[in-house]
Amino acid sequence: MILAALGSAGIAVLDMVGIAATLPLMQLIVTGSMAPALQALLGTLFGSLEIKSTILIMACTVIGVLVVKSLLGIGFRWWMLKKSTKLESEASIELFRLFMSTTYLSHKARNLGEINRDISAAVPQAFGQVAMGFIAGLADALTIIGIFIVLLAVSPLATTFTVIFFGAALLSIQSVFRRKYRAVGLELAESDVNSWAAMIPALSSFRETRVSMKEEHFIGRFAEAKNSRASAARRLSMFAEMPKYVLEVGFVVGLGLLALLLFSFEPSNAATATLGVFAAASTRILPTLNRLQATSAMIRSGQVGLELIGKCVRDLDSTQEVYASSGRIPQGRHDLEFSGVSYRYPDSEFPVVQNLDLDFPDGKTTALVGGSGAGKSTILDLLLGVIRPDTGTIEYGGTSIDVDPRGWFSRVSLVPQDIYLVNDSVERNIAFGVDDDEIDRELLSEVIRDAQLEDVIDSLPQGLSTRIGEWGARLSGGQKQRVGIARALYRRPQILILDEATSALDNLTERKISDTVTALAGRMTVVIVAHRLSTVRNAETIYFLEAGRVAARGGFEDLVQRSPEFARLARLGGLA
Ligand SMILES: Nc1ncnc2c1ncn2[C@@H]1O[C@H](COP(=O)(O)OP(=O)(O)OP(=O)(O)O)[C@@H](O)[C@H]1O
């Protein structure tokens, strides 16, 4: 910022020199004479000169100064753009990093459209418009001040008049447009969120949108947002340009009034020379003033971006979670234990899970079942370590998982119900988030075997390199789940968690996936969360949950005997 201000000041000084040099040139052209000191200086430098040669030397000096100023101006602009675009990309990266290190709960409460607006639109608005605007405005303001200092030396009367005249014009323009710029900035930011809000649901639920024939509804909402953006952008450009026309008229009127003033108070020769200098200065002042106006529009509308980022950063700062790696999670394989765990969501009145004691013995399969709202997903989030118990402990091999979150994350792997598959190769979908040259081919083959994916890959046209479409569109539900299991296994977890991983599958496919998981038994601890009891039939221990508490615990047959509610559900599922 300091360098930018210095650069702007340097260019303003050159501007001053350029304008100052035009004064003796104008005097020479109009009156045929110039200040004796300057005449003496030229005499010392070039010997005695004819008037034509003197004019030529002075004209060359003015042109030289302007050329140097322009070249420096281009260099300065290039340097500024380099700095500001770099800062802008750094700010976007930092904001993305903040979004990625916020707590899981605060992330869940966010809106994707707003995240996109903040990173992709508000940051450029704040940097491109506000920061760059301030620097450009500073350069222009300094240039104008510099020119006025020179003009003040030429004619204090004319300068005072010009300052008052243009100052009043500028202030009135500002007072008319000031609020409009901000309102337009708000509209631009709002329409960005709205266009996303129309696009995301339509594209994410393409099939439902098609069958329910709601395409036009979403296209209409998108069009509304885009039209509102176009109208706001049009108004912003117009508001930014409007002052130009006002100033142009002001310039002609101002020059006429100035001529009147000068010719009333000064001899006509001197008045003509002064007017000439003012006319020359005005050709420089006018575009600069126009730019200053446009910059002010840019800054005001961009301020909305700055405010959005400020709010977003304050909010993110208060929800940042540092996931340290202390290396304290014990090496090797151990049991996982919940003791007296209770948890209440910040906005819920009562604890969602209460005083839970759960054991997940090493190498065994443990299942969590229960009706909707029983607390299964909450327990799973506690187990993953993305939320923390209010009371009680979760320990792995006797060490709380809280003391080493990163160490703990490296031991667990999750197969969610809706696996997010990207439109990329099978290979990249399994080794998710790993650079190509770092993919461990041996491990890849191993997990493909373990997830019983070999036949699927053999049937694909380009095998492992086949692109599987957005959300794995080329694959069946069961195949997607297998890719999900392979992805989870690629991380070599000690605890594999399946969250309703088979709930959307038909019985036969569910059976196959269950067999795949059963085949992993003994090699790792498996935790299955399910509604459907058929999925958990083979689990060594089943926790039957009701309203956040363990209603019953045991093997499948054991629970059918001991829990009437469990037995009822098993009968409903044709399992008892
Ligand atoms: N982010 C949240 N904020 C407040 N309450 C929540 C939040 N998430 C879940 N709950 C509440 O906690 C309770 C348990 O929810 P949870 O999702 O753990 O149940 P579940 O057994 O997994 O249900 P389902 O089988 O329907 O997914 C529910 O009453 C739910 O409304």
Side-chain angles (χ1 to χ4, degrees), residues 300-524:
R300 285 209 182 276
S301 67
Q303 259 173 351
V304 174
L306 205 61
E307 284 161 22
L308 284 171
I309 295 177
K311 182 175 167 299
C312 173
V313 169
R314 271 195 305 279
D315 188 31
L316 285 169
D317 268 346
S318 65
T319 58
Q320 289 295 289
E321 182 126 46
V322 180
Y323 293 106
S325 179
S326 64
R328 285 165 65 190
I329 288 287
Q331 293 302 315
R333 296 170 48 165
H334 303 274
D335 295 346
L336 174 72
E337 251 175 79
F338 277 48
S339 311
V341 170
S342 297
Y343 181 79
R344 184 178 68 82
Y345 284 101
D347 54 354
S348 61
E349 230 174 293
F350 303 104
V352 172
V353 292
Q354 286 184 62
N355 207 19
L356 283 179
D357 292 322
L358 308 172
D359 283 336
F360 301 91
D362 171 47
K364 305 278 187 239
T365 300
T366 306
L368 302 169
V369 296
S372 197
K376 303 181 295 294
S377 305
T378 307
I379 297 174
L380 207 139
D381 288 341
L382 286 162
L383 193 160
L384 283 170
V386 292
I387 56 175
R388 293 184 175 157
D390 297 327
T391 54
T393 54
I394 304 174
E395 292 181 343
Y396 181 69
T399 302
S400 166
I401 62 169
D402 278 355
V403 300
D404 183 6
R406 292 185 84 82
W408 177 240
F409 294 155
S410 69
R411 308 296 168 88
V412 286
S413 235
L414 172 72
V415 184
Q417 181 175 1
D418 296 316
I419 294 157
Y420 181 70
L421 295 176
V422 282
N423 186 12
D424 208 330
S425 64
V426 186
E427 182 178 57
R428 285 190 186 155
N429 269 288
I430 295 176
F432 194 56
V434 178
D435 290 337
D436 284 355
D437 50 354
E438 284 176 16
I439 294 179
D440 180 339
R441 310 280 151 191
E442 219 169 288
L443 179 59
L444 193 70
S445 311
E446 191 183 313
V447 300
I448 287 172
R449 214 174 28 250
D450 286 344
Q452 298 175 2
L453 255 179
E454 284 159 314
D455 290 351
V456 178
I457 291 169
D458 286 347
S459 69
L460 292 170
Q462 283 107 36
L464 266 176
S465 310
T466 313
R467 291 174 82 89
I468 56 173
E470 198 67 28
W471 289 95
R474 277 191 77 140
L475 304 178
S476 73
Q479 291 168 342
K480 281 186 217 168
Q481 288 302 336
R482 281 179 204 286
V483 174
I485 293 173
R487 180 190 286 177
L489 292 177
Y490 185 85
R491 298 188 57 232
R492 290 182 184 276
Q494 271 154 26
I495 301 188
L496 178 72
I497 304 166
L498 293 110
D499 180 15
E500 302 282 7
T502 56
S503 62
L505 305 177
D506 62 84
N507 289 342
L508 190 66
T509 318
E510 185 206 9
R511 189 57 188 256
K512 284 190 191 156
I513 299 279
S514 294
D515 290 347
T516 305
V517 174
T518 310
L520 298 170
R523 289 166 49 195
M524 61 192 73

Side-chain angles (χ1 to χ4, degrees), residues 58 60 69 107 118 132 143 162 178 181 200-201 223 239 278 286 340 366 382 411 438 447 466 485 512 534 547 553:
M58 294 198 49
C60 287
K69 194 220 79 153
H107 171 74
D118 291 342
M132 281 298 281
T143 303
T162 316
R178 169 193 285 254
Y181 295 148
I200 293 177
F239 293 156
F278 269 74
L286 207 61
T366 306
L382 286 162
R411 308 296 168 88
E438 284 176 16
V447 300
T466 313
I485 293 173
K512 284 190 191 156
S534 54
R553 166 198 170 154

